[in-house]
Amino acid sequence: TSFGASSQHKTRRAVAETRMAIYRRALASNPLSSQLALGFLDECKEVMSSEELLSEWERTLDTFRSQPVLVMHHVRVCQGMGALFSVERMAGVYAAAIRRILRMVCDATADAGRRAELSVVALELVHGVCLMFRDAGFAERAVAVYQAVVEWYVFTPRRLWSAPASHRMRAFELFWDSGVPRIGSDGAQGWCMYSASYAQATCDLHSSAVFAKDDAVGYGLCFETPDSWADAEKQASLDTPADGSAAMATGCLSDSAIDSMDPFSVAVFEDVQPFLADIPWDPTIAQALLDRLLQFLGIVGPGTFVFTHRELRSGTADMGMAYTTAAGDDIARA
């Protein structure tokens, strides 16, 4: 009955309030315990609204600035709030979480092991946002983010290795918008091989092939009826590479062609930039990134690791990630 349900709710609320009081006293004695903080926040779910709970989470994250486990749990809590869920909101949550982890990486410059563990956490968040995009129906954006992250971290041009992050980001934007094939696409050579002349030659070649059918509107995505739109969507899906990536980047498209396309079918630089984690180069981190990419593509099963080094296993497990790792050969940066 409604009376019984109401009574049970009041009982749960009273128990939660009592436990919250206990957690507050415990935190007063041990203010740096992330486990106590997580326990307190778990009880808050029974008492607070979603908005109040999120505010409490933000206060906790500001207090525990060096605890990646709290950042990971916060992302999971946000993604589990069905009433507040939206793809763009979750993209912002993941981007903010990556920024928090990167600040921890900067604070851990004297501890190489800690820095490596935190870097893997950042990659875990990248993997999570790509899964979220794909599950929500934004497969092109999910693939584009992974392409961007691998190009950004593994294929940085040698001349930019020591450049400031802002300079590298601007250079990467030029590469991304140039229209050259990216990792996983036919003809891809990597960001490290990029040059303006190569980009123009590649763009011209792709443009002549793609627009042979209809020079005015690219794929012909200029519709007069819903049926024509549906037919064009089906044809575009057949023309899309098996990896789900767009056939070409916006740098090769005319303004009229871009205007006539599905706005979610091509990921522009602004779509991928928030997830380009600027973490120090380490071949073991590159291996962890490639393992996650293999999982995302379905080449290996979830939780299966081919390259990730053993020394990262214990640290990342402490942060709430169970890694089954196998030591692999070192890979060199492009």
Side-chain angles (χ1 to χ4, degrees):
T1 64
S2 59
F3 175 77
S6 176
S7 178
Q8 291 177 359
H9 174 72
K10 290 180 179 179
T11 299
R12 289 197 304 270
R13 183 182 178 92
V15 170
E17 289 175 341
T18 301
R19 290 176 175 172
M20 287 171 62
I22 295 173
Y23 274 115
R24 285 194 180 97
R25 289 196 295 272
L27 282 168
S29 300
N30 191 2
L32 299 181
S33 172
S34 59
Q35 292 302 315
L36 288 175
L38 283 172
F40 173 75
L41 290 166
D42 191 54
E43 297 301 331
C44 288
K45 293 188 296 185
E46 293 290 341
V47 176
M48 299 180 179
S49 66
S50 296
E51 290 78 6
E52 291 172 334
L53 180 60
L54 290 176
S55 297
E56 188 65 40
W57 262 105
E58 289 295 330
R59 285 191 290 271
T60 301
L61 291 173
D62 289 339
T63 301
F64 293 85
R65 294 178 179 270
S66 61
Q67 297 287 349
V69 64
L70 288 171
V71 176
M72 300 295 289
H73 276 278
H74 174 246
V75 171
R76 297 189 188 106
V77 167
C78 291
Q79 195 156 329
M81 290 182 172
L84 299 179
F85 180 87
S86 73
V87 171
E88 291 307 317
R89 176 178 173 275
M90 279 311 306
V93 169
Y94 274 102
I98 291 172
R99 290 195 298 271
R100 289 182 187 275
I101 297 299
L102 294 182
R103 286 195 290 269
M104 297 181 198
V105 172
C106 292
D107 293 339
T109 52
D111 187 340
R114 170 72 170 175
R115 189 169 62 243
E117 292 170 1
L118 291 168
S119 297
V120 172
V121 174
L123 298 182
E124 176 82 4
L125 290 165
V126 170
H127 184 72
V129 76
C130 289
L131 293 178
M132 186 275 295
F133 282 140
R134 187 173 65 184
D135 292 344
F138 294 78
E140 295 91 349
R141 189 171 179 183
V143 171
V145 170
Y146 248 121
Q147 286 180 311
V149 171
V150 173
E151 292 279 10
W152 166 259
Y153 192 69
V154 179
F155 293 103
T156 304
R158 182 181 295 272
R159 67 183 184 278
L160 296 174
W161 284 6
S162 301
S166 58
H167 185 77
R168 280 184 283 118
M169 190 66 71
R170 175 55 183 158
F172 187 81
E173 181 179 4
L174 295 174
F175 161 75
W176 187 263
D177 290 339
S178 68
V180 301
R182 304 156 190 159
I183 182 172
S185 301
D186 291 340
Q189 297 187 28
W191 181 26
C192 56
M193 300 298 294
Y194 170 76
S195 67
S197 58
Y198 167 71
Q200 186 58 50
T202 306
C203 186
D204 292 343
L205 177 62
H206 280 210
S207 296
S208 62
V210 170
F211 295 120
K213 296 178 183 178
D214 189 337
D215 291 336
V217 292
Y219 277 112
L221 301 183
C222 184
F223 320 113
E224 295 180 356
T225 67
D227 287 341
S228 65
W229 177 86
D231 290 341
E233 281 287 286
K234 292 177 182 178
Q235 184 59 47
S237 66
L238 295 175
D239 292 339
T240 300
D243 63 2
S245 60
M248 63 191 310
T250 53
C252 289
L253 301 177
S254 65
D255 291 341
S256 60
I258 293 174
D259 291 341
S260 63
M261 294 180 69
D262 179 352
F264 298 108
S265 66
V266 176
V268 297
F269 178 73
E270 288 75 11
D271 292 327
V272 302
Q273 187 272 335
F275 312 108
L276 300 178
D278 186 32
I279 53 182
W281 167 254
D282 187 326
T284 62
I285 307 306
Q287 291 168 343
L289 172 58
L290 295 181
D291 270 332
R292 277 310 196 185
L293 177 60
L294 292 178
Q295 293 174 24
F296 175 78
L297 296 174
I299 296 174
V300 299
T304 301
F305 291 80
V306 178
F307 302 110
T308 307
H309 275 209
R310 297 180 188 277
E311 59 262 29
L312 291 179
R313 176 172 53 189
S314 60
T316 51
D318 292 341
M319 298 176 193
M321 295 173 288
Y323 277 18
T324 303
T325 64
D329 295 334
D330 285 346
I331 62 174
R333 190 170 192 167

